[in-house]
Amino acid sequence: MAISAQLPKIRKLKTPTWITSSRKDMWLGLLDRLTTSDRSFQNFLEEYATEDDITLARRDVRNIFALDPSKGVIATIIWSHSRGIRVNALSLLVRDLPTLITLMTIRDFGEEELNELLAQPGISVPTASKMLSACGKTYRGMSAAIIDDNVIQVIENTSFAADFPNVAKLRNKSRSRPVPYYEAYLQDIAAICEKHDVTADMVDRYLAEHAQEDVSANAELKSA
């Protein structure tokens, strides 16, 4: 099995992707515990949350960022921490929000800029990948794509090994070498996009939401 065999499925995905939802009162409760007069997060929640929840898709975050980078950065933090965040980490993010906003105005990230983003509290490689993708950024000229545990499980599966040769060189080293691993992943995604005329958004969505089903089905077919 290979990406080429799944192109019809990859191309026909139309519904919103990477949707997260969290409780508005959870965020307000966390924010109430901070010793700051900054109300940026509270104002964002009042504008974009419903009565009880804040629900965002990747394209929502991207649209918000395009209209207002400061609100877009807040959107990425809430969107990528749907299960909540430690109070001390949130406190530091609120404190350093101007720095984050300035950093996210960079169109094309390099390793230095990515490491600076990762130095922020509560931001791991998966979270950083979501922020870069949602804000429409590139990394060394390559369109940012989201990577998380589901994606890693798929791209390290033998079923897709031929599609991810750069990742294969670092297989099982995603934890110890996060930035080189992410760069290898983006190199493979870029090659797939160029070869098959698809976008990074389309590919990472397939990898996260549908590929595992295809891997399981392929395994069952072989065992039969």
Side-chain angles (χ1 to χ4, degrees):
M1 185 173 68
I3 287 289
S4 58
Q6 307 303 325
L7 288 175
K9 182 182 294 185
I10 292 171
R11 290 193 171 111
K12 75 177 182 181
L13 298 173
K14 300 294 184 183
T15 56
T17 182
W18 293 103
I19 300 173
T20 67
S21 184
S22 53
R23 297 285 296 177
K24 179 182 176 181
D25 58 7
M26 177 194 74
W27 284 103
L28 291 175
L30 292 171
L31 292 163
D32 283 345
R33 296 170 63 184
L34 307 185
T35 56
T36 176
S37 59
D38 190 296
R39 302 285 299 177
S40 300
F41 275 76
Q42 288 91 334
N43 293 338
F44 178 87
L45 288 167
E46 288 303 317
E47 183 173 356
Y48 288 99
T50 62
E51 184 175 341
D52 298 316
D53 301 301
I54 174 73
T55 300
L56 296 164
R58 170 164 56 185
R59 69 183 183 191
D60 297 326
V61 179
R62 194 170 291 173
N63 289 338
I64 293 169
F65 183 83
L67 291 172
D68 187 333
S70 60
K71 291 180 181 179
V73 170
I74 294 172
T76 65
I77 293 171
I78 292 176
W79 173 64
S80 56
H81 292 87
S82 60
R83 296 181 181 178
I85 186 173
R86 296 191 309 274
V87 172
N88 62 332
L90 180 58
S91 176
L92 293 172
L93 285 172
V94 172
R95 183 198 69 184
D96 297 335
L97 193 57
T99 300
L100 256 181
I101 293 169
T102 300
L103 183 62
M104 293 305 293
T105 59
I106 298 170
R107 180 180 294 274
D108 184 47
F109 275 60
E111 185 174 353
E112 181 179 348
E113 291 80 10
L114 179 56
N115 281 325
E116 186 176 348
L117 179 59
L118 291 170
Q120 301 297 316
I123 298 181
S124 60
V125 166
T127 301
S129 74
K130 290 180 179 180
M131 295 180 73
L132 293 177
S133 174
C135 294
K137 303 302 178 182
T138 57
Y139 178 78
R140 293 187 170 179
M142 300 175 288
S143 294
I146 296 174
I147 192 169
D148 63 7
D149 288 341
N150 289 336
V151 172
I152 291 172
Q153 188 175 359
V154 169
I155 63 180
E156 292 200 351
N157 189 284
T158 54
S159 297
F160 290 101
D163 293 299
F164 294 91
N166 291 298
V167 166
K169 298 173 186 176
L170 299 174
R171 188 172 180 174
N172 299 320
K173 295 182 179 179
S174 58
R175 304 304 182 201
S176 60
R177 304 185 64 189
V179 173
Y181 190 95
Y182 183 55
E183 183 170 350
Y185 168 68
L186 291 186
Q187 288 170 346
D188 290 333
I189 290 288
I192 290 169
C193 291
E194 182 177 1
K195 181 178 180 180
H196 299 296
D197 191 27
V198 291
T199 67
D201 284 4
M202 296 162 71
V203 178
D204 69 6
R205 180 190 179 181
Y206 168 74
L207 294 173
E209 298 184 2
H210 301 278
Q212 195 59 248
E213 299 172 5
D214 293 332
V215 168
S216 298
N218 188 54
E220 290 177 6
L221 183 62
K222 286 184 177 180
S223 64

